[in-house]
């Protein structure tokens, strides 16, 4: 018997905002490397999630969703990051939400076909479809006239359908040794991930109240024996927004810090001492120079 060859390669994770691209990336990696919230546009940066299996290694390029709003410099950068992530990939996952397909999904599909990479369709969130008999006609409709290297109804949240998806993805990758060590889970630094953990809590805890123009800068990241000392600055655009983030008697900011710290300790596997501040800087989200300074490239 010939052993199955080891495969490894890059897979772009593409789709509209909020379909579950980051949840899927995390489920495949087996750790939370990419932040997730109910708000669209949670993912602002391109991020590599490394998923290692005995048969091969998937290097998942999680992206901000492709979308149409091009007005702000930040949106332009997010779109560039999503489109740019197609360069040099071996395959792409087009993630859609079960039961839905609209112009933006078509936009994403066309972008992928244009790039000439094999596209695997992932129909996510099937756990939300109560009547499963609706799934088959839906799948037939959205795949008609389109070319996919595979179609996988899954639930990233419940981790169902992932094994078959991994198998069909690996088959599309070149035969080669693993490109990253098996203990590596992302290409991002702990410093970057720490900022994301704070941003995730902002998204989750402030909901609709959260000013869109909020970002996090890690000012301090020091190893102190077995402990990490982290200082995070939350940037907003106006004084009124600062008051919202801080909350009554500072309760909200404390809660954001407490939850973010727990997430950091889980991901980094060490004790974390986290300090947070809120500062105001006018117009940062529409200022390319300010964006670069805050880590958006
Ligand atoms: N019910 C359900 N919710 C999901 C699933 N996958 C993601 N979600 C939720 O959808 C929202 C957006 O997920 P996220 O991964 O941030 O989407 P992204 O913008 O495409 O990266 C979050 O609230 C997730 O918990 C799924 O399979 N089932
Ligand atoms: Mg995301």
């Amino acid at each position: 018997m010939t052993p199955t060859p080891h495969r490894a390669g890059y897979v772009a994770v593409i789709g509209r905002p909020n379909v579950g691209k980051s949840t899927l990336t995390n489920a495949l990696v087996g750790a939370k490397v990419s932040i997730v919230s109910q708000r669209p546009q949670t993912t602002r940066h391109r991020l590599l999630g490394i998923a290692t299996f005995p048969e091969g290694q998937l290097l998942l390029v999680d992206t901000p969703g492709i979308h149409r709003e091009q007005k702000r410099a930040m949106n332009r950068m997010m779109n560039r990051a999503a489109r740019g992530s197609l360069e040099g990939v071996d395959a792409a996952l087009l993630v859609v939400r079960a039961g839905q397909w609209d112009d933006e999904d078509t936009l994403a599909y066309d972008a992928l076909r244009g790039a000439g990479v094999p596209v695997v369709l992932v129909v996510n969130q099937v756990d939300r479809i109560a009547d499963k008999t609706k799934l088959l006609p839906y799948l037939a409709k959205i795949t008609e006239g389109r070319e996919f290297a595979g179609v996988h109804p899954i639930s990233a949240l419940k981790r169902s359908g992932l094994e078959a998806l991994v198998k069909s993805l690996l088959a599309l990758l070149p035969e080669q040794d693993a490109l990253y060590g098996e203990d590596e889970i992302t290409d991002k630094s702990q410093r970057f991930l720490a900022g994301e953990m704070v941003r995730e809590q902002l998204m989750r805890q402030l909901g609709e109240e959260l000013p869109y123009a909020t970002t996090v800068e890690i000012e301090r990241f020091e190893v102190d024996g077995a402990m990490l000392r982290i200082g995070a600055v939350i940037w907003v655009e106006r004084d009124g927004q600062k008051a919202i983030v801080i909350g009554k008697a500072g309760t909200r900011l404390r809660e954001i810090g407490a939850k973010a710290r727990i997430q950091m300790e889980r991901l980094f596997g060490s004790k974390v001492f986290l300090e947070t501040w809120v500062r105001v800087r006018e117009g940062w989200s529409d200022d390319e120079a300010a964006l670069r300074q805050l880590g958006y490239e």
Side-chain angles (χ1 to χ4, degrees):
M1 232 169 67
T2 32
T4 31
H6 188 279
R7 294 176 186 271
Y10 289 85
V11 180
V13 186
I14 303 287
R16 290 189 333 178
N18 232 16
V19 290
K21 297 179 295 298
S22 298
T23 306
L24 174 59
T25 301
N26 293 338
L28 293 172
V29 169
K32 196 161 89 190
V33 290
S34 194
I35 61 169
V36 169
S37 89
Q38 291 182 1
R39 286 173 62 99
Q41 306 180 16
T42 298
T43 306
R44 286 183 184 165
H45 307 263
R46 188 177 353 163
L47 175 145
L48 201 63
I50 304 165
T52 305
F53 306 94
E55 308 79 27
Q57 189 172 59
L58 299 175
L59 305 168
L60 298 153
V61 188
D62 186 18
T63 61
I66 289 181
H67 53 93
R68 290 217 201 87
E69 158 91 80
Q70 289 271 356
K71 261 193 274 160
R72 283 170 190 260
M74 185 158 67
N75 290 84
R76 287 195 297 273
M77 286 195 179
M78 285 164 60
N79 273 334
R80 244 181 273 157
R83 295 234 158 81
S85 63
L86 290 180
E87 270 163 47
V89 300
D90 301 291
L93 287 175
L94 175 58
V95 186
V96 301
R97 188 169 144 181
Q100 286 190 339
W101 183 290
D102 69 15
D103 292 353
E104 283 194 293
D105 299 305
T106 305
L107 191 75
Y109 172 80
D110 290 343
L112 291 174
R113 292 304 300 161
V117 288
V119 182
V120 172
L121 178 64
V122 171
V123 176
N124 189 31
Q125 309 199 16
V126 290
D127 57 287
R128 297 167 66 128
I129 305 281
D131 181 1
K132 299 285 191 260
T133 61
K134 293 208 170 117
L135 214 48
L136 227 54
Y138 163 77
L139 290 176
K141 196 169 132 221
I142 65 170
T143 54
E144 199 198 328
R146 300 198 171 99
E147 214 175 299
F148 293 110
V151 177
H152 290 268
I154 68 154
S155 167
L157 195 69
K158 308 260 194 258
R159 295 161 191 266
S160 67
L162 298 184
E163 238 174 83
L165 174 63
V166 167
K167 218 172 157 204
S168 104
L169 269 177
L170 282 173
L172 297 170
L173 303 183
E175 286 180 26
Q176 59 180 336
D177 289 339
L179 299 167
Y180 284 83
E182 63 180 293
D183 54 345
E184 289 180 85
I185 52 174
T186 179
D187 63 334
K188 295 291 186 192
S189 64
Q190 289 190 329
R191 189 188 188 105
F192 171 88
L193 295 168
E196 290 290 278
M197 297 294 152
V198 176
R199 211 160 60 73
E200 177 176 65
Q201 290 309 317
L202 283 165
M203 298 261 188
R204 290 192 165 190
Q205 295 193 36
L206 293 177
E208 289 306 312
E209 280 173 275
L210 177 77
Y212 177 66
T214 308
T215 196
V216 178
E217 180 184 19
I218 298 299
E219 254 192 356
R220 188 155 66 115
F221 193 103
E222 288 162 13
V223 182
D224 181 359
M227 154 131 50
L228 288 170
R229 288 185 184 278
I230 300 172
V233 178
I234 298 165
W235 289 100
V236 294
E237 294 198 307
R238 280 187 295 281
D239 283 327
Q241 299 172 341
K242 178 172 171 174
I244 291 173
V245 175
I246 291 173
K248 267 201 198 92
T251 45
R252 189 162 277 154
L253 186 58
R254 264 202 303 282
E255 187 64 11
I256 286 165
K259 291 252 169 68
R261 182 178 55 79
I262 292 168
Q263 296 285 335
M264 289 177 198
E265 291 187 336
R266 190 173 297 161
L267 189 65
F268 302 154
S270 60
K271 273 244 156 286
V272 169
F273 177 74
L274 174 66
E275 281 182 292
T276 51
W277 297 272
V278 185
R279 289 190 199 137
V280 179
R281 174 170 184 166
E282 259 175 63
W284 71 263
S285 72
D286 203 26
D287 175 344
E288 301 229 5
L291 282 165
R292 265 192 298 279
Q293 208 189 322
L294 289 169
Y296 293 87
E297 278 149 46

